Amino acid sequence: MMNSTSRWIVPLLVAVTACQGGEVPPRAEDGAPPTPGLRSQHGMVSSANLIASEVGAEVLARGGNAVDAAIATGLALAVVHPTAGNIGGGGFMVIRSPDGSATAIDFREKAPLAAHPEMFTDEDGEYSFDIHHTSYFAVGVPGTVAGFALAHERYGSATPWADLVEPAVGLAGDGFTLSPALARSLANVLPRMEPYPASVAQFSKDGVPYEEGELFRQPDLARTLARIRDQGHDGFYSGETARLLAEEMVRGGGMITEEDLARYQAQERTPIHGTYRGYDLVSMPPPSSGGTAIVQMLNILEGFDLTALGHNSAAYVHHLTEAMRLAYRDRAQHLADTDFVDVPLERLTSKDYADELRDRIHADQAGHSEPSQLAMAEESTETTHYSVVDRDGMAVSVTYTLEQGYGSKITVPGAGFLLNNEMGDFNGKPGLTNDRGLIGTEANLARPEQRMLSSMSPSVLSRDGELVAVIGTPGGRTIINTVMQLVLNIVDHGMTIEEAVAAPRIHHQWLPNNVRIEEGGISDRDLAALEAMGHEVQVRGSQGRASSIGVDPETGEFIGAPDPRSPDGGAAAPSGS
Ligand code: DON
């Protein structure tokens, strides 16, 4: 199947309908409902880039299932959304079949064989932020291609692998028109790519930024994608691609070898399952902390009447904040790759434990986060999430990333793809915990072939066996809280999927001990009431880009809800029956 020579003959031959996220007003400041999402009975793709959503919808229109469409969308995003779409990074895919069974594909990056817990220290043994986050040591062994190949082998339909990769090959080789947002983003990142000539060559015109409306071609990437098209997993993990990647590691003093690449395998895992007021949520297990923390918070919050408190009232934000504080402290303490460490998942996600935690929440007084205990680092907001449903109701939720925007900024010369800087998600140095945000606990230290802890939380919500929504978002540690609030918006506040996605979000992560609320997300009176309870509140920009899909409970239609915060986002659906 991997060697199929069938080709994507004419891109977008089959009709798809689409709507662009940017057309939706960011927020209903005046109380008006958000612009309606795209509706279809035939399947749906919602992502951070309309071109990629259309590629996925085209696969659905040709009879592919949701897994096929998710693979094609993901590979297209690697071309048209280079900040986070990738083949040089990793991520997670949660799949829910129409019969209600669910599984998860873990294609998180791994530490190379030469990794060790002290690898982010300098010659004096001091922790180095630069080594941890911006050096060649920051690059983890990529997982995306292995994850997509495994998902296709186990859960794809009869659609040949080559047909899923070919649209991305075409987009990279023939080029696509740069949107204003992507042109701006490429111009902004260019100075940080200067140390890497292959990156400057790929993402600018000899050092001069591209302008919006120009054709953006990536011929080296097209050749790499063609090898992946023709050889599947091996087109990335052995042969030419692996050789080019390993050579770049030698050139830059990195650790990843051809052996690391040859050994990389994606893993199928059992999703985290939780219930909330009669709804079922499946989400990502470790090495993500997301599913565990979301279920833990929902269990705590189930004991409060959130509907009566009212969305984003002071009392509501207070109760959410306290649940977040408790769950993020446990996250820092316990969560890591379960292939290497024991994590008390059953207890963390149990209703009994939530009862204990709930008792610690004071009705109108902020709790404590001890800065002398573990602290959290700031994270960037560049990752990407997309959601797919096919006509049968198979749902696929994918979040994948290079970690920061454009990852390490290192493009593999001759291969045209960016490398992640995901090793920064490991703890920096054993025992080094400080109030600047470093954690030094054992569980998440870099060890050979361990996967670094993640917050990515692709999730699927259902009720009485029926699909309700496919949800997820980028946003570093805010991901967990954004996904949790999407669930609350649907369940407790009766919002439509468009409203749930557009509604202002809040974030607290135990440490630093402050509540962040999106601009326009809280009234002055409620803000003052929160401060009176002892909360430090920061009102700030935008949190997440939750490209989601809902199901209309009356008609059964799928509703594509791209996030209005996502400038190039869009939903697309097959238009025929
Ligand atoms: O895996 C994680 O949790 C992070 N590396 C994700 C980074 C991220 O979401 C950045 N932006 N949105």
Side-chain angles (χ1 to χ4, degrees), residues 399-446:
T399 315
Y400 76 148
T401 188
L402 290 164
E403 166 43 13
Q404 291 175 329
Y406 303 93
S408 62
K409 325 290 185 281
I410 302 166
T411 298
V412 176
F417 65 90
L418 281 160
L419 291 167
N420 67 83
N421 62 338
E422 216 74 57
M423 294 290 282
D425 281 357
F426 279 120
N427 293 349
K429 183 183 171 187
L432 177 63
T433 297
N434 66 22
D435 56 12
R436 294 203 342 269
L438 292 173
I439 306 175
T441 46
E442 270 297 302
N444 186 40
L445 290 170

mmCIF file of all heavy atoms in Angstrom, residues 399-446:
data_model
loop_
_atom_site.group_PDB
_atom_site.id
_atom_site.type_symbol
_atom_site.label_atom_id
_atom_site.label_comp_id
_atom_site.label_asym_id
_atom_site.label_seq_id
_atom_site.Cartn_x
_atom_site.Cartn_y
_atom_site.Cartn_z
ATOM 1 N N THR A 399 -3.722 17.171 17.871
ATOM 2 C CA THR A 399 -2.914 18.331 18.214
ATOM 3 C C THR A 399 -1.465 17.937 18.002
ATOM 4 O O THR A 399 -1.037 16.879 18.482
ATOM 5 C CB THR A 399 -3.121 18.764 19.677
ATOM 6 O OG1 THR A 399 -4.513 18.766 19.983
ATOM 7 C CG2 THR A 399 -2.555 20.158 19.910
ATOM 8 N N TYR A 400 -0.732 18.720 17.219
ATOM 9 C CA TYR A 400 0.691 18.409 17.021
ATOM 10 C C TYR A 400 1.470 19.710 16.930
ATOM 11 O O TYR A 400 0.901 20.796 16.767
ATOM 12 C CB TYR A 400 0.903 17.445 15.860
ATOM 13 C CG TYR A 400 0.788 17.964 14.440
ATOM 14 C CD1 TYR A 400 1.563 17.409 13.429
ATOM 15 C CD2 TYR A 400 -0.093 18.974 14.083
ATOM 16 C CE1 TYR A 400 1.484 17.839 12.117
ATOM 17 C CE2 TYR A 400 -0.186 19.413 12.767
ATOM 18 C CZ TYR A 400 0.614 18.848 11.801
ATOM 19 O OH TYR A 400 0.530 19.292 10.517
ATOM 20 N N THR A 401 2.795 19.600 17.066
ATOM 21 C CA THR A 401 3.549 20.815 17.336
ATOM 22 C C THR A 401 5.029 20.676 17.001
ATOM 23 O O THR A 401 5.561 19.559 16.927
ATOM 24 C CB THR A 401 3.426 21.176 18.837
ATOM 25 O OG1 THR A 401 3.989 22.456 19.085
ATOM 26 C CG2 THR A 401 4.127 20.159 19.734
ATOM 27 N N LEU A 402 5.668 21.843 16.839
ATOM 28 C CA LEU A 402 7.130 21.918 16.817
ATOM 29 C C LEU A 402 7.634 22.485 18.140
ATOM 30 O O LEU A 402 8.800 22.777 18.288
ATOM 31 C CB LEU A 402 7.588 22.831 15.677
ATOM 32 C CG LEU A 402 7.394 22.307 14.248
ATOM 33 C CD1 LEU A 402 7.521 23.433 13.235
ATOM 34 C CD2 LEU A 402 8.417 21.213 13.939
ATOM 35 N N GLU A 403 6.707 22.686 19.100
ATOM 36 C CA GLU A 403 6.894 23.366 20.392
ATOM 37 C C GLU A 403 6.781 24.879 20.163
ATOM 38 O O GLU A 403 5.684 25.382 20.111
ATOM 39 C CB GLU A 403 8.190 22.922 21.085
ATOM 40 C CG GLU A 403 8.712 23.743 22.243
ATOM 41 C CD GLU A 403 7.742 24.266 23.307
ATOM 42 O OE1 GLU A 403 6.587 23.866 23.403
ATOM 43 O OE2 GLU A 403 8.195 25.142 24.067
ATOM 44 N N GLN A 404 7.859 25.643 19.994
ATOM 45 C CA GLN A 404 7.675 27.075 19.745
ATOM 46 C C GLN A 404 7.313 27.304 18.272
ATOM 47 O O GLN A 404 7.420 26.384 17.461
ATOM 48 C CB GLN A 404 8.954 27.827 20.078
ATOM 49 C CG GLN A 404 9.215 27.831 21.581
ATOM 50 C CD GLN A 404 10.533 28.470 21.937
ATOM 51 O OE1 GLN A 404 11.481 28.400 21.169
ATOM 52 N NE2 GLN A 404 10.591 29.078 23.105
ATOM 53 N N GLY A 405 6.905 28.524 17.938
ATOM 54 C CA GLY A 405 6.635 28.854 16.546
ATOM 55 C C GLY A 405 7.868 28.574 15.691
ATOM 56 O O GLY A 405 8.958 29.029 16.023
ATOM 57 N N TYR A 406 7.721 27.782 14.642
ATOM 58 C CA TYR A 406 8.819 27.358 13.773
ATOM 59 C C TYR A 406 9.858 26.526 14.550
ATOM 60 O O TYR A 406 11.005 26.403 14.134
ATOM 61 C CB TYR A 406 9.497 28.550 13.079
ATOM 62 C CG TYR A 406 8.534 29.391 12.260
ATOM 63 C CD1 TYR A 406 7.910 30.505 12.807
ATOM 64 C CD2 TYR A 406 8.218 29.041 10.951
ATOM 65 C CE1 TYR A 406 7.010 31.270 12.085
ATOM 66 C CE2 TYR A 406 7.319 29.802 10.209
ATOM 67 C CZ TYR A 406 6.720 30.916 10.790
ATOM 68 O OH TYR A 406 5.831 31.670 10.052
ATOM 69 N N GLY A 407 9.472 25.979 15.701
ATOM 70 C CA GLY A 407 10.303 25.054 16.470
ATOM 71 C C GLY A 407 11.674 25.623 16.787
ATOM 72 O O GLY A 407 11.805 26.735 17.301
ATOM 73 N N SER A 408 12.704 24.842 16.462
ATOM 74 C CA SER A 408 14.091 25.246 16.736
ATOM 75 C C SER A 408 14.580 26.302 15.751
ATOM 76 O O SER A 408 15.675 26.817 15.892
ATOM 77 C CB SER A 408 15.002 24.025 16.612
ATOM 78 O OG SER A 408 14.918 23.539 15.264
ATOM 79 N N LYS A 409 13.771 26.586 14.716
ATOM 80 C CA LYS A 409 14.128 27.474 13.591
ATOM 81 C C LYS A 409 15.163 26.817 12.662
ATOM 82 O O LYS A 409 15.642 27.452 11.734
ATOM 83 C CB LYS A 409 14.646 28.856 14.026
ATOM 84 C CG LYS A 409 14.014 29.451 15.276
ATOM 85 C CD LYS A 409 12.585 29.877 15.059
ATOM 86 C CE LYS A 409 11.990 30.571 16.271
ATOM 87 N NZ LYS A 409 11.552 29.711 17.374
ATOM 88 N N ILE A 410 15.519 25.571 12.953
ATOM 89 C CA ILE A 410 16.523 24.871 12.135
ATOM 90 C C ILE A 410 15.809 24.082 11.045
ATOM 91 O O ILE A 410 15.017 23.174 11.339
ATOM 92 C CB ILE A 410 17.352 23.878 12.984
ATOM 93 C CG1 ILE A 410 18.048 24.604 14.134
ATOM 94 C CG2 ILE A 410 18.352 23.130 12.102
ATOM 95 C CD1 ILE A 410 18.601 23.656 15.211
ATOM 96 N N THR A 411 16.093 24.429 9.772
ATOM 97 C CA THR A 411 15.598 23.648 8.644
ATOM 98 C C THR A 411 16.676 22.650 8.247
ATOM 99 O O THR A 411 17.860 23.015 8.166
ATOM 100 C CB THR A 411 15.292 24.572 7.454
ATOM 101 O OG1 THR A 411 14.261 25.486 7.854
ATOM 102 C CG2 THR A 411 14.820 23.787 6.234
ATOM 103 N N VAL A 412 16.299 21.401 8.030
ATOM 104 C CA VAL A 412 17.288 20.404 7.604
ATOM 105 C C VAL A 412 17.702 20.718 6.162
ATOM 106 O O VAL A 412 16.857 20.684 5.255
ATOM 107 C CB VAL A 412 16.701 18.977 7.688
ATOM 108 C CG1 VAL A 412 17.695 17.960 7.150
ATOM 109 C CG2 VAL A 412 16.302 18.651 9.118
ATOM 110 N N PRO A 413 18.977 21.072 5.940
ATOM 111 C CA PRO A 413 19.404 21.449 4.584
ATOM 112 C C PRO A 413 19.139 20.323 3.589
ATOM 113 O O PRO A 413 19.411 19.156 3.859
ATOM 114 C CB PRO A 413 20.916 21.686 4.744
ATOM 115 C CG PRO A 413 21.102 22.010 6.186
ATOM 116 C CD PRO A 413 20.079 21.188 6.912
ATOM 117 N N GLY A 414 18.552 20.684 2.478
ATOM 118 C CA GLY A 414 18.263 19.704 1.431
ATOM 119 C C GLY A 414 16.967 18.939 1.664
ATOM 120 O O GLY A 414 16.487 18.247 0.770
ATOM 121 N N ALA A 415 16.412 19.038 2.867
ATOM 122 C CA ALA A 415 15.187 18.283 3.160
ATOM 123 C C ALA A 415 13.993 19.205 3.395
ATOM 124 O O ALA A 415 12.849 18.754 3.380
ATOM 125 C CB ALA A 415 15.383 17.370 4.366
ATOM 126 N N GLY A 416 14.246 20.487 3.669
ATOM 127 C CA GLY A 416 13.180 21.482 3.642
ATOM 128 C C GLY A 416 12.173 21.433 4.772
ATOM 129 O O GLY A 416 11.106 22.021 4.649
ATOM 130 N N PHE A 417 12.474 20.751 5.876
ATOM 131 C CA PHE A 417 11.509 20.790 6.983
ATOM 132 C C PHE A 417 12.183 21.274 8.254
ATOM 133 O O PHE A 417 13.383 21.091 8.466
ATOM 134 C CB PHE A 417 10.828 19.434 7.197
ATOM 135 C CG PHE A 417 11.733 18.316 7.639
ATOM 136 C CD1 PHE A 417 11.950 18.062 8.979
ATOM 137 C CD2 PHE A 417 12.365 17.512 6.700
ATOM 138 C CE1 PHE A 417 12.792 17.034 9.390
ATOM 139 C CE2 PHE A 417 13.211 16.475 7.090
ATOM 140 C CZ PHE A 417 13.425 16.238 8.436
ATOM 141 N N LEU A 418 11.374 21.903 9.085
ATOM 142 C CA LEU A 418 11.847 22.468 10.347
ATOM 143 C C LEU A 418 11.918 21.394 11.423
ATOM 144 O O LEU A 418 11.064 20.500 11.483
ATOM 145 C CB LEU A 418 10.884 23.560 10.814
ATOM 146 C CG LEU A 418 11.022 24.915 10.123
ATOM 147 C CD1 LEU A 418 9.742 25.723 10.288
ATOM 148 C CD2 LEU A 418 12.229 25.685 10.675
ATOM 149 N N LEU A 419 12.917 21.536 12.303
ATOM 150 C CA LEU A 419 13.034 20.635 13.444
ATOM 151 C C LEU A 419 12.400 21.278 14.677
ATOM 152 O O LEU A 419 12.467 22.496 14.863
ATOM 153 C CB LEU A 419 14.505 20.336 13.713
ATOM 154 C CG LEU A 419 15.168 19.484 12.623
ATOM 155 C CD1 LEU A 419 16.684 19.494 12.781
ATOM 156 C CD2 LEU A 419 14.633 18.058 12.663
ATOM 157 N N ASN A 420 11.813 20.437 15.500
ATOM 158 C CA ASN A 420 11.185 20.893 16.746
ATOM 159 C C ASN A 420 12.239 21.346 17.762
ATOM 160 O O ASN A 420 13.429 21.056 17.616
ATOM 161 C CB ASN A 420 10.390 19.730 17.335
ATOM 162 C CG ASN A 420 11.312 18.600 17.787
ATOM 163 O OD1 ASN A 420 11.855 18.637 18.879
ATOM 164 N ND2 ASN A 420 11.517 17.601 16.916
ATOM 165 N N ASN A 421 11.785 22.011 18.824
ATOM 166 C CA ASN A 421 12.632 22.207 20.024
ATOM 167 C C ASN A 421 11.899 21.665 21.261
ATOM 168 O O ASN A 421 11.867 22.275 22.310
ATOM 169 C CB ASN A 421 13.060 23.668 20.207
ATOM 170 C CG ASN A 421 11.894 24.619 20.409
ATOM 171 O OD1 ASN A 421 10.766 24.312 20.034
ATOM 172 N ND2 ASN A 421 12.159 25.746 21.015
ATOM 173 N N GLU A 422 11.366 20.455 21.079
ATOM 174 C CA GLU A 422 10.493 19.849 22.100
ATOM 175 C C GLU A 422 11.241 19.393 23.345
ATOM 176 O O GLU A 422 10.626 19.197 24.396
ATOM 177 C CB GLU A 422 9.772 18.644 21.478
ATOM 178 C CG GLU A 422 8.367 18.441 21.953
ATOM 179 C CD GLU A 422 7.408 19.462 21.365
ATOM 180 O OE1 GLU A 422 7.326 19.540 20.122
ATOM 181 O OE2 GLU A 422 6.762 20.177 22.130
ATOM 182 N N MET A 423 12.579 19.228 23.258
ATOM 183 C CA MET A 423 13.326 18.781 24.452
ATOM 184 C C MET A 423 13.154 19.787 25.589
ATOM 185 O O MET A 423 13.362 19.466 26.753
ATOM 186 C CB MET A 423 14.811 18.581 24.126
ATOM 187 C CG MET A 423 15.092 17.448 23.140
ATOM 188 S SD MET A 423 14.796 15.802 23.797
ATOM 189 C CE MET A 423 16.271 15.575 24.783
ATOM 190 N N GLY A 424 12.782 21.021 25.229
ATOM 191 C CA GLY A 424 12.499 22.049 26.238
ATOM 192 C C GLY A 424 11.328 21.695 27.136
ATOM 193 O O GLY A 424 11.133 22.330 28.174
ATOM 194 N N ASP A 425 10.535 20.691 26.757
ATOM 195 C CA ASP A 425 9.426 20.256 27.620
ATOM 196 C C ASP A 425 9.883 19.261 28.696
ATOM 197 O O ASP A 425 9.087 18.866 29.552
ATOM 198 C CB ASP A 425 8.295 19.637 26.786
ATOM 199 C CG ASP A 425 7.422 20.708 26.135
ATOM 200 O OD1 ASP A 425 7.674 21.904 26.375
ATOM 201 O OD2 ASP A 425 6.488 20.351 25.388
ATOM 202 N N PHE A 426 11.143 18.812 28.626
ATOM 203 C CA PHE A 426 11.696 18.066 29.770
ATOM 204 C C PHE A 426 12.070 19.058 30.859
ATOM 205 O O PHE A 426 12.340 20.237 30.587
ATOM 206 C CB PHE A 426 12.965 17.306 29.357
ATOM 207 C CG PHE A 426 12.712 16.000 28.657
ATOM 208 C CD1 PHE A 426 13.177 15.788 27.367
ATOM 209 C CD2 PHE A 426 12.029 14.970 29.294
ATOM 210 C CE1 PHE A 426 12.965 14.586 26.715
ATOM 211 C CE2 PHE A 426 11.813 13.764 28.648
ATOM 212 C CZ PHE A 426 12.272 13.566 27.360
ATOM 213 N N ASN A 427 12.150 18.591 32.098
ATOM 214 C CA ASN A 427 12.660 19.438 33.169
ATOM 215 C C ASN A 427 14.133 19.756 32.899
ATOM 216 O O ASN A 427 14.862 18.945 32.331
ATOM 217 C CB ASN A 427 12.493 18.742 34.518
ATOM 218 C CG ASN A 427 11.022 18.586 34.885
ATOM 219 O OD1 ASN A 427 10.153 19.173 34.235
ATOM 220 N ND2 ASN A 427 10.746 17.806 35.907
ATOM 221 N N GLY A 428 14.560 20.954 33.354
ATOM 222 C CA GLY A 428 15.861 21.483 32.946
ATOM 223 C C GLY A 428 17.056 20.840 33.610
ATOM 224 O O GLY A 428 18.073 20.583 32.964
ATOM 225 N N LYS A 429 16.936 20.569 34.897
ATOM 226 C CA LYS A 429 18.082 20.025 35.630
ATOM 227 C C LYS A 429 17.562 19.352 36.897
ATOM 228 O O LYS A 429 16.696 19.921 37.578
ATOM 229 C CB LYS A 429 19.041 21.164 35.985
ATOM 230 C CG LYS A 429 20.296 20.712 36.672
ATOM 231 C CD LYS A 429 21.184 21.864 37.075
ATOM 232 C CE LYS A 429 22.307 21.305 37.957
ATOM 233 N NZ LYS A 429 23.136 22.325 38.551
ATOM 234 N N PRO A 430 18.093 18.179 37.239
ATOM 235 C CA PRO A 430 17.594 17.493 38.435
ATOM 236 C C PRO A 430 17.673 18.395 39.664
ATOM 237 O O PRO A 430 18.718 19.007 39.918
ATOM 238 C CB PRO A 430 18.541 16.299 38.590
ATOM 239 C CG PRO A 430 19.152 16.101 37.245
ATOM 240 C CD PRO A 430 19.183 17.440 36.577
ATOM 241 N N GLY A 431 16.577 18.504 40.381
ATOM 242 C CA GLY A 431 16.566 19.247 41.639
ATOM 243 C C GLY A 431 16.471 20.751 41.496
ATOM 244 O O GLY A 431 16.304 21.457 42.487
ATOM 245 N N LEU A 432 16.561 21.254 40.279
ATOM 246 C CA LEU A 432 16.537 22.717 40.120
ATOM 247 C C LEU A 432 15.091 23.205 39.958
ATOM 248 O O LEU A 432 14.500 23.112 38.884
ATOM 249 C CB LEU A 432 17.370 23.143 38.906
ATOM 250 C CG LEU A 432 17.347 24.647 38.609
ATOM 251 C CD1 LEU A 432 17.953 25.451 39.750
ATOM 252 C CD2 LEU A 432 18.088 24.959 37.309
ATOM 253 N N THR A 433 14.554 23.692 41.064
ATOM 254 C CA THR A 433 13.204 24.266 41.062
ATOM 255 C C THR A 433 13.341 25.686 41.579
ATOM 256 O O THR A 433 13.975 25.898 42.614
ATOM 257 C CB THR A 433 12.287 23.463 41.992
ATOM 258 O OG1 THR A 433 12.188 22.132 41.483
ATOM 259 C CG2 THR A 433 10.898 24.069 42.059
ATOM 260 N N ASN A 434 12.836 26.638 40.816
ATOM 261 C CA ASN A 434 12.960 28.012 41.311
ATOM 262 C C ASN A 434 11.736 28.827 40.927
ATOM 263 O O ASN A 434 10.877 28.374 40.167
ATOM 264 C CB ASN A 434 14.251 28.669 40.794
ATOM 265 C CG ASN A 434 14.244 28.862 39.290
ATOM 266 O OD1 ASN A 434 13.189 28.897 38.665
ATOM 267 N ND2 ASN A 434 15.415 28.999 38.692
ATOM 268 N N ASP A 435 11.664 30.050 41.485
ATOM 269 C CA ASP A 435 10.456 30.843 41.250
ATOM 270 C C ASP A 435 10.492 31.537 39.893
ATOM 271 O O ASP A 435 9.618 32.320 39.564
ATOM 272 C CB ASP A 435 10.206 31.830 42.392
ATOM 273 C CG ASP A 435 11.389 32.730 42.619
ATOM 274 O OD1 ASP A 435 12.295 32.735 41.762
ATOM 275 O OD2 ASP A 435 11.422 33.414 43.659
ATOM 276 N N ARG A 436 11.508 31.261 39.079
ATOM 277 C CA ARG A 436 11.481 31.760 37.705
ATOM 278 C C ARG A 436 10.782 30.757 36.785
ATOM 279 O O ARG A 436 10.674 30.972 35.586
ATOM 280 C CB ARG A 436 12.898 32.023 37.196
ATOM 281 C CG ARG A 436 13.591 33.159 37.949
ATOM 282 C CD ARG A 436 14.706 33.799 37.142
ATOM 283 N NE ARG A 436 15.198 32.993 36.025
ATOM 284 C CZ ARG A 436 16.213 32.127 36.130
ATOM 285 N NH1 ARG A 436 16.826 31.950 37.276
ATOM 286 N NH2 ARG A 436 16.604 31.451 35.077
ATOM 287 N N GLY A 437 10.335 29.667 37.334
ATOM 288 C CA GLY A 437 9.517 28.773 36.526
ATOM 289 C C GLY A 437 10.149 27.441 36.190
ATOM 290 O O GLY A 437 9.626 26.689 35.374
ATOM 291 N N LEU A 438 11.259 27.108 36.795
ATOM 292 C CA LEU A 438 11.872 25.812 36.504
ATOM 293 C C LEU A 438 11.365 24.750 37.480
ATOM 294 O O LEU A 438 11.137 25.036 38.656
ATOM 295 C CB LEU A 438 13.386 25.911 36.612
ATOM 296 C CG LEU A 438 14.044 26.766 35.533
ATOM 297 C CD1 LEU A 438 15.519 26.947 35.838
ATOM 298 C CD2 LEU A 438 13.868 26.120 34.165
ATOM 299 N N ILE A 439 11.225 23.533 36.963
ATOM 300 C CA ILE A 439 10.827 22.399 37.796
ATOM 301 C C ILE A 439 11.961 21.388 37.737
ATOM 302 O O ILE A 439 12.471 21.100 36.652
ATOM 303 C CB ILE A 439 9.560 21.714 37.254
ATOM 304 C CG1 ILE A 439 8.436 22.726 37.083
ATOM 305 C CG2 ILE A 439 9.125 20.595 38.176
ATOM 306 C CD1 ILE A 439 7.209 22.109 36.439
ATOM 307 N N GLY A 440 12.328 20.822 38.872
ATOM 308 C CA GLY A 440 13.436 19.867 38.868
ATOM 309 C C GLY A 440 13.044 18.487 39.326
ATOM 310 O O GLY A 440 13.897 17.693 39.710
ATOM 311 N N THR A 441 11.748 18.172 39.280
ATOM 312 C CA THR A 441 11.304 16.851 39.762
ATOM 313 C C THR A 441 11.809 15.743 38.839
ATOM 314 O O THR A 441 12.053 15.951 37.649
ATOM 315 C CB THR A 441 9.765 16.792 39.833
ATOM 316 O OG1 THR A 441 9.241 17.325 38.628
ATOM 317 C CG2 THR A 441 9.249 17.594 41.001
ATOM 318 N N GLU A 442 11.890 14.554 39.432
ATOM 319 C CA GLU A 442 12.476 13.391 38.771
ATOM 320 C C GLU A 442 11.741 12.939 37.511
ATOM 321 O O GLU A 442 12.344 12.621 36.495
ATOM 322 C CB GLU A 442 12.430 12.197 39.736
ATOM 323 C CG GLU A 442 13.627 12.034 40.634
ATOM 324 C CD GLU A 442 14.900 11.760 39.840
ATOM 325 O OE1 GLU A 442 14.961 10.771 39.088
ATOM 326 O OE2 GLU A 442 15.817 12.582 39.977
ATOM 327 N N ALA A 443 10.398 12.899 37.647
ATOM 328 C CA ALA A 443 9.612 12.141 36.666
ATOM 329 C C ALA A 443 9.871 12.577 35.228
ATOM 330 O O ALA A 443 9.990 11.746 34.323
ATOM 331 C CB ALA A 443 8.126 12.264 36.988
ATOM 332 N N ASN A 444 10.007 13.882 35.027
ATOM 333 C CA ASN A 444 10.077 14.388 33.647
ATOM 334 C C ASN A 444 11.484 14.881 33.297
ATOM 335 O O ASN A 444 11.654 15.881 32.627
ATOM 336 C CB ASN A 444 9.030 15.498 33.463
ATOM 337 C CG ASN A 444 8.923 15.980 32.031
ATOM 338 O OD1 ASN A 444 8.973 15.185 31.079
ATOM 339 N ND2 ASN A 444 8.804 17.289 31.858
ATOM 340 N N LEU A 445 12.496 14.149 33.728
ATOM 341 C CA LEU A 445 13.869 14.486 33.327
ATOM 342 C C LEU A 445 14.199 13.767 32.019
ATOM 343 O O LEU A 445 13.638 12.712 31.723
ATOM 344 C CB LEU A 445 14.855 14.046 34.416
ATOM 345 C CG LEU A 445 14.792 14.848 35.722
ATOM 346 C CD1 LEU A 445 15.632 14.178 36.800
ATOM 347 C CD2 LEU A 445 15.249 16.295 35.493
ATOM 348 N N ALA A 446 15.129 14.352 31.260
ATOM 349 C CA ALA A 446 15.501 13.754 29.968
ATOM 350 C C ALA A 446 16.252 12.439 30.188
ATOM 351 O O ALA A 446 17.252 12.403 30.902
ATOM 352 C CB ALA A 446 16.368 14.729 29.183
#
